[in-house]
Every structure is written in structure tokens, then in C-alpha cells.
Amino acid sequence: MPPERTSGHPSVPFGAWPSPISTSDVVRSGLRPGYPAVLGDEIWWEESRPAEGGRRTLVHRAADGVLRELLPAPWDARTRVHEYGGRSYAVAPGVGVVFANHADQRLYVLPAGGSGRPYPITPKPCVPCGLRYADLLVHGGEVWCVQERHGDDGKVTRAIVSVPLSGDEEPRQRVAGSDFYAFPAISPDGEHIAYICWDHPRMPWTGTELRVTRLDGGASWRVRGGPAESVLAPRWRDDRTLYLISDASGWWNLYQADVHEPSSRPLCPLDEEFAWAPGELGGAPYVVLGDGRLAVLHGRGDMRLAFLDPQSGVLSEPDLPYDGWIPCLGAAGSTLCGIAYGATVPTSVVRVDTATGRAESLRREFAAPPDPAYLPVPRPVEINSRFGRRVHAHVYPPANPSVSRGDAAPPYVVFVHGGPTAHSTTALDLHKAFLTSRGIGVIDVDHGGSTGYGRAYRESLRGQWGVVDVEDTIAAAEWLLSDGLADPERIAIRGAGAGGWTTMAACCASGLFCGGVSIAGVSALGPLAASTHDFESRYVEWLVGPEDPLLYARRDPLAKAGQIDCPMLLMQGQDDPIVPASQSEAFVAALTERGVPCTYLAFEGEGHGFRRAETRIAALAAELAFYLQLFRLT
């Protein structure tokens, strides 16, 4: 039953509000469905299992509506390509499901019907996990995918390969020569493959090329793209025409291109994004429907679902109870499947009948969400930062129907997303609700450099990491104070990965924050550039500049740790291949040497982002305890 709405309990301090949302509730919400696939009346998707070490399994929905988990423990459908991974499986009609197994990174086939044991179809590498596969598609009895090869000398190379489903032959290299590949797509007649490629030091959101290779003979040519244009997600309309996404206009918009002519045309030019930055491989921000229309996602920040007529450019939106969609759509005929969310609606696997616009939720991230009265309603705001920049953010005020807030201003935590080329969404997040239902407000900042607001906004971070992100985050805290929303003595900041860097740097730069929480945060650029994984090994050059000890020292939180006087909580996975634990350890040592209160929690067996239920519970409990002490709350 919903809680009784009372006149409140003025004596209950912020942070001690009675909340029905526990640490275990937050962790149980971590099913994280993703990457749906549709074939006829059947649907598949990935799903995580926090209680089983965070492994990912595959779920199948049969034509009769029955759901079945396909992979029991210890199988873990998770690829490590680029270390961020992505789509780990593909459906092979009449054969079964092909997936990458996390333990050895080999491709396996789970026979159709699920009665047989998975069998490998790729060779055992000489280097453990040295051959990795992602962005899988099935064509002509083979799996086509991106292969990442790690040599015993530490060198990393990539290619597009095809792997026979029988497993009788070695993978065959089809396209090579670039540092990175994504979005392989084979033409309907099977004669050409289209794909995206780029080379160091570029990232897929700074500059890519769309190329086409003739499979018979290997002739290859560029269709579109270059160093200053990000082209993504090619899909064939017919044997000589491609759909694609390009940010040539300043926004990731849809285009149609003739692969044999130097021409392309925009399908629906808008000052909105039709894609996210592809940090993971295998996403699908749009799909081609059976009637020729495109199911697309578009918007600023959150992305809405719409249907696009590619001939007329008319965009129509179905009336659905979701605020946003993750760019990983699947479709067959008139059936569309995606991952949708709302501010009070759990992230869900949603099937849409594109002929009628009707939608059905097939699976929720958690079955029973809290009473909406305990959930904060995000309010979008734009904040003035330095030099006239407008900063995007969402405010989540404290919400609890059983407590009266009174006139006092509550404590707030400034959330900084990772990436840093990423953005926050307004999806129901029990981590935020865990805090707001206890009387601690949240403001989620999309600082300059975030995706979702056009290329110019992304480019504002170029060479300015540690400056623009810090200024914008401080501006968000100042805005809270100027509007009287937060207690000026009780504003904290927290972030993970790149957000951890901004957290540490902001605490160095401003006395506004009474404390900070950094999870796998970057503290020093030189060691990061020397030790991080290949995908981001040159990213620092774009974010800050070529290695220069003086420049890096002006940006590094570690070099400025002497300016921090507020308490810090640092948490870190011991097996993090992206931000090594040494980054957090060095910062902790610098603070400890100066006598600054600092708590450090290191978790064995965890990487970049905590997966295990016990780790996530411990981390969330530690974070709440830190805030209660920091804000001087009972």
C-alpha cells in the first residue's frame, strides 16, 4: 500500500528521513537489459545478474510469450573489445545463438532450443583473452564481426573477420589496415560490406570514415567522413544505397548516400541528435522497418522514439509512456524492440507494433518500483557558466511523502557523469532516489563536452578537460545557492571515471564543496596515458594536449592535492584496466600525507564499474555514511 501522506515530522533531519529504498533494493535494480534482437515473433536480449558476480546472460522470449534464461552460470555473455565491450551476441537462424564468453573471449554457439551445451567456434588464443570479438552479425553461414587481437608484445590490432558457424575453419580476415572498426553491414546482394573506421589519435565521436569494400577482390573506397566529421551506423537500403548518421551539420543527423556517387542528402535535418557517442560496439540508434520507414531516436539529452518516412522526411512520434530510449534498437517486419525508460518507469524491454504504435513492456529492470511519491521528478535547467556557456543539468529535489521539509535548505550532491564524452539521462535511478528519499538532493550536470547537445558542445571540452568540466560543475553548485535550493555548508560532489577526475579537480579549485566521492577517478594524466587501454590511449591528447609535464601538472588533481582541505571518499576496482588502481592510491597517499580526512575502499575482482551485488551494496552504504558524516546528519 502507498505510504500515508502526513503533515510531516519537522524534527526529522535531512539524511534521516524514513525511506523504503534500501541498498539491496538499489542493487537488485541492476538487471540492466540491453541489445534486443528480433526474429519473427521471437525476441532476445542481454541481461545482467548482480547476485551472480554481475555476469551477463541472454534471455529469450518465445512467440507464445514465455521468457527463458538461455545461459546458466558460469557462462557470461560479455565482450572485452575496447574494454567497454558492447553487444556480445547474434542470432543465427536455424543454428542457435552466437555469443562471446567473458572468461576466454572466444565465440561460442548455443544450439537452437537451448538443449545442447555451447561449443566454441573460434580458436583458443595464445595470449589469455587475446582474441576478442564484438559487433556480431550473421550472414551466409558465418559470423561477421570486429576482431581485436592482443599480442604477447602488448600490441593491439583490429580487423573485420568472418567466422564459420561450424567452427571448422579459422576466422577469415575481410577488412584490415585501420586502428578501429565498428558497425559492419553487408549489402543485400552479399557483394559489399560497409563499415566505420578511424585511426589514432581520433575517437569515434571526433572523426571517422564510412567505407565500403567489395568482398570479391577487396577494392575499398570512402563514402563519407574524415578527421572533422563523425559518421556512424551505416545500414543498407538496397544494393547501392546506404543510410548513415553524420554530424557534418553540427548535429548527428540521418543521411542517405549512394555508395558509387559522391552524393548524400539529409533525411530530416534538425538541431537534435539521432545518435549517442559509441563508447560500446553494437548499438543501433535506428533500424529499417518492413514497410520502408525508419524507427529512429532523436532529441537533446534524452532521446525519443519516432518513425521517419525517408522519402518525405516526415517524423511522427507514437504516444508512449517513456521519456527516453537507449540507442540499441532491434526490428523485424512491423515489430520493433528497444530499451526505454522514464523518470518513474524502470528501464524496460519494450516491444512496439509499428503498424499501430501500441507498446508492450516485456521485462523491467526491477519488478516493483517504489511508490512514485518517493521518487524525485527531474527538472531540466540551463545554468550560466563562464564565458557565456549554457550548461545543461537536471535537478532532483528531496522527495518523501511522510516528512515535512520545513523552510531549511537541504544538502545536495552534484553528480558528474563518466566519459567524459557521455551524458546523464532522466531514467529512474534508485541510486538517486536512495539519496533524495532520505532528504539529500541531487543535481546531475552535463558539463561542456557532454553528448546530446551537438558537436559544438562536445568540442567545448577539446583541450579543456579539467577546466570546462570543473567550471561548469562549480557553476551548478553556485546556481543551487543562488536559487536558495541548497544549504551552502552542505554541498558535496561525486563522480566515477572521468567524473572522478572532475570531482577531485573541482575540490582542488573551489571551497564550495564540503567533500567529494571519487570512484575509479583519474588523478594524473601522464601515468594514465602510459598505462590505460588502447582504445583511449590517445584520448588525453584531445582532452588536454600532447604530453607536456608543465601542462599536465596544471591540470592534474594529484599535482594540486595540496589545495584540498575537504574530506574525500575514494573507491576503486583492483582489476580496472581503464583507470588503474594506482590513480586512486596516489591521490589517497597525497591527502593522507597532509592529514586531510580520506577513506579508501578497494574491491578485489572488480573492474571499471562495480558488478557484484556485495560490492555495490558496500559501496552505496559507504557513500551514504560518508554524506551523513560530511553533512553532520544523525
Side-chain angles (χ1 to χ4, degrees):
M1 294 181 64
E4 180 184 355
R5 271 58 171 177
T6 71
S7 60
H9 306 278
S11 62
V12 180
F14 293 116
W17 292 2
S19 171
I21 304 170
S22 67
T23 54
S24 58
D25 290 331
V26 178
V27 170
R28 281 198 298 267
S29 71
L31 292 181
R32 299 176 185 173
Y35 299 110
V38 184
L39 182 64
D41 295 325
E42 299 178 85
I43 298 175
W44 294 256
W45 62 85
E46 297 182 16
E47 202 171 271
S48 63
R49 294 286 180 267
E52 300 176 33
R55 74 178 187 92
R56 290 189 71 80
T57 186
L58 300 177
V59 177
H60 173 238
R61 186 184 190 274
D64 59 5
V66 174
L67 296 183
R68 186 164 65 91
E69 181 177 333
L70 297 181
L71 294 175
W75 296 104
D76 186 352
R78 185 153 47 105
T79 172
R80 287 184 56 189
V81 171
H82 295 180
E83 296 298 351
Y84 288 112
R87 181 187 291 271
S88 66
Y89 79 101
V91 179
V95 178
V97 179
V98 186
F99 69 96
N101 185 46
H102 182 255
D104 57 10
Q105 289 298 290
R106 298 171 73 184
L107 289 182
Y108 288 76
V109 170
L110 175 66
S115 57
R117 181 178 175 82
Y119 59 87
I121 59 171
T122 55
K124 185 177 181 179
C126 298
V127 175
C129 297
L131 292 174
R132 307 174 183 181
Y133 306 88
D135 228 345
L136 281 59
L137 66 92
V138 174
H139 173 82
E142 295 180 296
V143 183
W144 297 66
C145 56
V146 175
Q147 181 194 65
E148 182 177 271
R149 180 183 294 269
H150 293 248
D152 53 12
D153 58 356
K155 184 178 180 180
V156 181
T157 59
R158 296 172 189 84
I160 295 177
V161 301
S162 62
V163 182
L165 286 166
S166 63
D168 295 335
E169 302 175 28
E170 293 280 322
R172 179 182 175 187
Q173 184 171 284
R174 299 288 188 159
V175 179
S178 293
D179 291 333
F180 300 95
Y181 293 95
F183 298 107
I186 298 174
S187 61
D189 60 11
E191 294 185 2
H192 298 88
I193 182 171
Y195 52 91
I196 301 299
C197 59
W198 67 98
D199 294 309
H200 283 305
R202 299 200 299 268
M203 300 298 288
W205 45 85
T206 61
T208 63
E209 290 187 0
L210 165 56
R211 299 188 67 85
V212 171
T213 295
R214 186 184 299 277
L215 294 176
D216 182 10
S220 177
W221 64 93
R222 182 178 67 87
V223 175
R224 181 150 190 166
E229 179 183 4
S230 172
V231 185
L232 307 172
R235 286 186 177 271
W236 294 90
R237 190 195 75 172
D238 52 46
D239 291 336
R240 65 174 296 148
T241 311
L242 281 168
Y243 296 122
L244 59 100
I245 291 176
S246 166
D247 69 353
S249 70
W251 298 84
W252 272 315
N253 277 195
L254 276 157
Y255 292 79
Q256 179 178 303
D258 187 316
V259 300
H260 298 294
E261 300 289 341
S263 63
S264 59
R265 68 177 182 90
L267 298 181
C268 184
L270 292 174
D271 288 349
E272 294 185 355
E273 301 282 43
F274 283 73
W276 283 3
E280 297 182 351
L281 293 180
Y286 71 96
V287 288
V288 183
L289 302 175
D291 59 10
R293 292 181 300 164
L294 306 181
V296 304
L297 303 178
H298 70 105
R300 297 189 180 195
D302 293 318
M303 300 180 74
R304 306 181 305 279
L305 174 68
F307 303 125
L308 173 64
D309 182 335
Q311 300 306 315
S312 67
V314 173
L315 199 66
S316 58
E317 294 190 14
D319 184 15
L320 300 175
Y322 303 103
D323 299 324
W325 295 69
I326 307 298
C328 56
L329 300 174
S334 62
T335 298
L336 172 72
C337 193
I339 310 297
Y341 58 81
T344 58
V345 179
T347 299
S348 306
V349 180
V350 178
R351 181 178 63 179
V352 180
D353 183 334
T354 60
T356 64
R358 295 177 180 173
E360 176 187 7
S361 176
L362 306 181
R363 181 79 153 180
R364 288 183 164 191
E365 188 174 20
F366 47 96
D371 181 337
Y374 286 101
L375 302 178
V377 177
R379 177 164 66 96
V381 296
E382 288 190 11
I383 298 165
N384 288 321
S385 187
R386 296 191 65 185
F387 309 113
R389 268 196 319 276
R390 298 289 285 173
V391 181
H392 302 275
H394 285 91
V395 180
Y396 297 80
N400 190 310
S402 64
V403 174
S404 176
R405 281 185 49 173
D407 297 328
Y412 258 80
V413 180
V414 179
F415 274 42
V416 188
H417 63 69
T421 309
H423 70 271
S424 59
T425 73
T426 60
L428 172 56
D429 181 354
L430 288 191
H431 185 170
K432 293 188 180 79
F434 178 82
L435 298 177
T436 58
S437 63
R438 285 170 166 77
I440 301 173
V442 169
I443 182 169
D444 211 344
V445 183
D446 281 343
H447 55 70
S450 300
T451 57
Y453 308 98
R455 183 168 183 122
Y457 199 74
R458 295 200 311 274
E459 291 277 346
S460 67
L461 198 63
R462 184 172 189 173
Q464 297 298 309
W465 195 35
V467 178
V468 165
D469 53 319
V470 172
E471 291 174 351
D472 292 357
T473 303
I474 293 172
E478 292 172 338
W479 177 85
L480 287 172
L481 298 181
S482 67
D483 270 31
L485 298 179
D487 182 337
E489 301 297 322
R490 296 189 290 182
I491 298 180
I493 180 172
R494 64 95 66 193
W501 153 280
T502 305
T503 292
M504 289 185 278
C507 289
C508 292
S510 174
L512 274 176
F513 304 106
C514 62
V517 177
S518 170
I519 303 167
V522 176
S523 67
L525 296 170
L528 177 73
S531 63
T532 194
H533 60 133
D534 182 67
F535 176 61
E536 291 181 323
S537 61
R538 306 284 296 277
Y539 194 16
V540 171
E541 293 180 29
W542 187 90
L543 289 168
V544 180
E547 186 167 359
D548 178 337
L550 293 178
L551 172 62
Y552 284 11
R554 289 198 298 270
R555 301 287 179 86
D556 284 350
L558 181 60
K560 297 183 289 186
Q563 301 173 24
I564 292 184
D565 293 314
C566 63
M568 300 286 295
L569 168 63
L570 280 80
M571 295 184 280
Q572 176 76 49
Q574 292 281 58
D575 299 332
D576 190 339
I578 296 172
V579 180
S582 57
Q583 291 278 329
S584 291
E585 292 165 356
F587 199 74
V588 169
L591 295 186
T592 302
E593 183 178 358
R594 293 183 51 244
V596 177
C598 182
T599 300
Y600 179 53
L601 299 178
F603 297 100
E604 293 185 5
E606 293 285 6
H608 197 66
F610 303 148
R611 292 180 174 273
R612 297 173 178 172
E614 58 271 25
T615 301
R616 295 175 61 201
I617 288 174
L620 184 55
E623 188 173 344
L624 177 62
F626 177 76
Y627 294 143
L628 295 181
Q629 184 177 21
L630 191 68
F631 297 149
R632 302 181 301 280
L633 305 173
T634 302

